[in-house]
Amino acid sequence: MTEAILLVGGRGTRLRPLTVHTPKPMVPAAGVPFLKHQLARAKAAGVDHIVLATSYLAEVFEPYFGDGSSLGLHIEYVTEEEPLGTGGAIRNVASRLHSGPDEPVLIFNGDILTGLDIRALVDTHQSTAADVSLHLTKVADPRAFGLVPTDETGRVLAFLEKPQTPEEIVTDQINAGAYVFRRSVIDTIPLGRPVSVERETFPDLLAAGAHLQGMVDSTYWLDLGTPAAFVRGSADLVLGRAPSPAVPGRCGDSLILPTATVAPDAKLTGGTVVGEGAFVAEGARVSGSTILPGAVIEPGAVITDSLIGTRARVGERTVLTGTVIGDGAIVGADNELREGVRVWCDARIPAGSVRFSSDQ
């Protein structure tokens, strides 16, 4: 196994305002762009050539990663002029692959944090002589996902859209967003138009009699598509619950980047990250949260399970729980924002303007 495709072209609309200025894979998780964790895990599994399928804010990736040599990789970039979907994006970069027709090509979605045993997935693919192999994971409530039932040998039987009734839940196995393709199968995907592997490529392959193999790996798995999930994923990386060789420090209750400043009596817990140049003032309490570079947390602020954008400011005694503060936004003193609130980039909330409890 020598090469992989990483699908990093999505607009990240569910993560806005985090993705207004930054493509989703480049939003920092545990102190570095999330994509760096994926690249490091691919490298650790033996991959040395990776093609990034980019689209939204495509110009951001190459200045950061360059040719990949700093990570021990050879990275190439292909930009979609129009969004092509998962299958279309895979086909669009096929000309950059070096593999022979029967060799395996790894494919990863750019928004999944997982402890998948990548080598085991490739070994399963090769030992079963599959055309495509899929990482499957088991979830307690599969209603929000496409189901992938398999037979006793792991061979995929069907791809079922999100079930609507209890009778439709025939398995707890879902598509976890990592695949191994036989190189020649990639060339069968239509070129130059949007294609979904989940809705078109995989069902069509099954109908044509192709061998699709599932491998269940129920280690850590999280779709980072929402702000709450992204914050949790970052915290889990810091706490050591999610594996990554790219975490820039030791796992523990918090991760403070080298140029950040944290007051001696500030309390950081639950996998909190304080980014480069950020400042956390005296008496502040921050739990399970991400403070991005250049942000300022003023005295006595209490922040839980939240993400504070680049150069944003949170005022004295303000309480944030499950909220996202966009880049450059200012939340004045004595505000109280709760679950699901998103403050847009460069917005201004005056002191004492928003509360869920009385001012007493």
Side-chain angles (χ1 to χ4, degrees):
M1 175 183 55
T2 61
E3 59 186 349
I5 299 169
L6 260 167
L7 304 174
V8 294
R11 298 186 63 84
T13 52
R14 291 184 297 158
L15 274 178
R16 289 170 74 88
L18 297 179
T19 51
V20 170
H21 302 127
T22 307
K24 177 168 53 176
M26 296 299 287
V27 176
V32 298
F34 174 66
L35 177 56
K36 191 169 185 178
H37 297 290
Q38 291 187 303
L39 293 172
R41 294 201 72 245
K43 168 63 179 175
V47 175
D48 58 22
H49 177 223
I50 293 184
V51 184
L52 296 186
T54 68
S55 180
Y56 176 64
L57 296 176
E59 67 278 5
V60 172
F61 295 93
E62 190 166 2
Y64 188 93
F65 292 108
D67 63 3
S69 56
S70 64
L71 298 174
L73 293 165
H74 173 215
I75 298 177
E76 295 187 68
Y77 306 83
V78 178
T79 301
E80 301 165 26
E81 299 307 319
E82 298 291 335
L84 294 171
T86 47
I90 293 166
R91 181 66 178 88
N92 190 53
V93 306
S95 63
R96 302 294 185 92
L97 298 173
H98 306 151
S99 300
D102 290 325
E103 291 183 320
V105 177
L106 268 163
I107 297 169
F108 300 105
N109 281 337
D111 54 2
I112 301 295
L113 177 59
T114 176
L116 167 69
D117 185 337
I118 297 170
R119 286 277 2 159
L121 181 63
V122 176
D123 290 345
T124 295
H125 176 79
Q126 294 180 315
S127 65
T128 60
D131 295 300
V132 179
S133 298
L134 298 88
H135 171 208
L136 307 179
T137 193
K138 294 178 180 287
V139 295
D141 183 0
R143 289 176 296 177
F145 303 96
L147 309 186
V148 187
T150 55
D151 67 15
E152 63 277 3
T153 70
R155 189 158 182 156
V156 174
L157 300 174
F159 291 89
L160 307 175
E161 283 303 303
K162 298 173 184 178
Q164 302 300 311
T165 65
E167 293 74 25
E168 291 179 288
I169 302 176
V170 298
T171 180
D172 59 357
Q173 296 176 176
I174 67 164
N175 177 356
Y179 319 112
V180 182
F181 274 64
R182 187 192 301 272
R183 170 68 182 84
S184 58
V185 174
I186 293 175
D187 291 330
T188 68
I189 299 172
L191 181 63
R193 69 167 176 85
V195 180
S196 165
V197 290
E198 301 85 356
R199 295 179 179 85
E200 182 176 343
T201 304
F202 293 157
D204 286 356
L205 285 169
L206 268 189
H211 179 179
L212 277 69
Q213 184 73 20
M215 188 194 83
V216 176
D217 182 323
S218 292
T219 53
Y220 186 98
W221 184 87
L222 186 64
D223 177 347
L224 301 184
T226 66
F230 198 95
V231 169
R232 180 154 63 93
S234 177
D236 284 348
L237 284 162
V238 175
L239 292 166
R241 295 171 180 165
S244 170
V247 176
R250 297 178 62 182
C251 293
D253 250 2
S254 63
L255 175 65
I256 303 171
L257 275 291
T259 59
T261 302
V262 177
D265 67 342
K267 188 173 183 180
L268 309 179
T269 59
T272 287
V273 181
V274 184
E276 298 277 1
F279 175 69
V280 180
E282 59 271 14
R285 288 181 288 144
V286 188
S287 176
S289 298
T290 295
I291 314 299
L292 291 186
V296 174
I297 311 302
E298 295 187 359
V302 179
I303 300 171
T304 305
D305 298 338
S306 298
L307 193 147
I308 313 303
T310 302
R311 301 179 310 281
R313 178 178 290 267
V314 177
E316 296 183 48
R317 298 174 300 281
T318 281
V319 177
L320 306 179
T321 304
T323 64
V324 175
I325 310 301
D327 296 342
I330 296 176
V331 180
D334 299 308
N335 282 291
E336 184 181 356
L337 307 180
R338 290 191 178 175
E339 284 86 354
V341 170
R342 306 185 191 205
V343 177
W344 228 249
C345 299
D346 300 313
R348 302 288 185 270
I349 297 180
S353 297
V354 180
R355 298 194 65 84
F356 285 82
S357 60
S358 76
D359 59 357
Q360 302 301 311

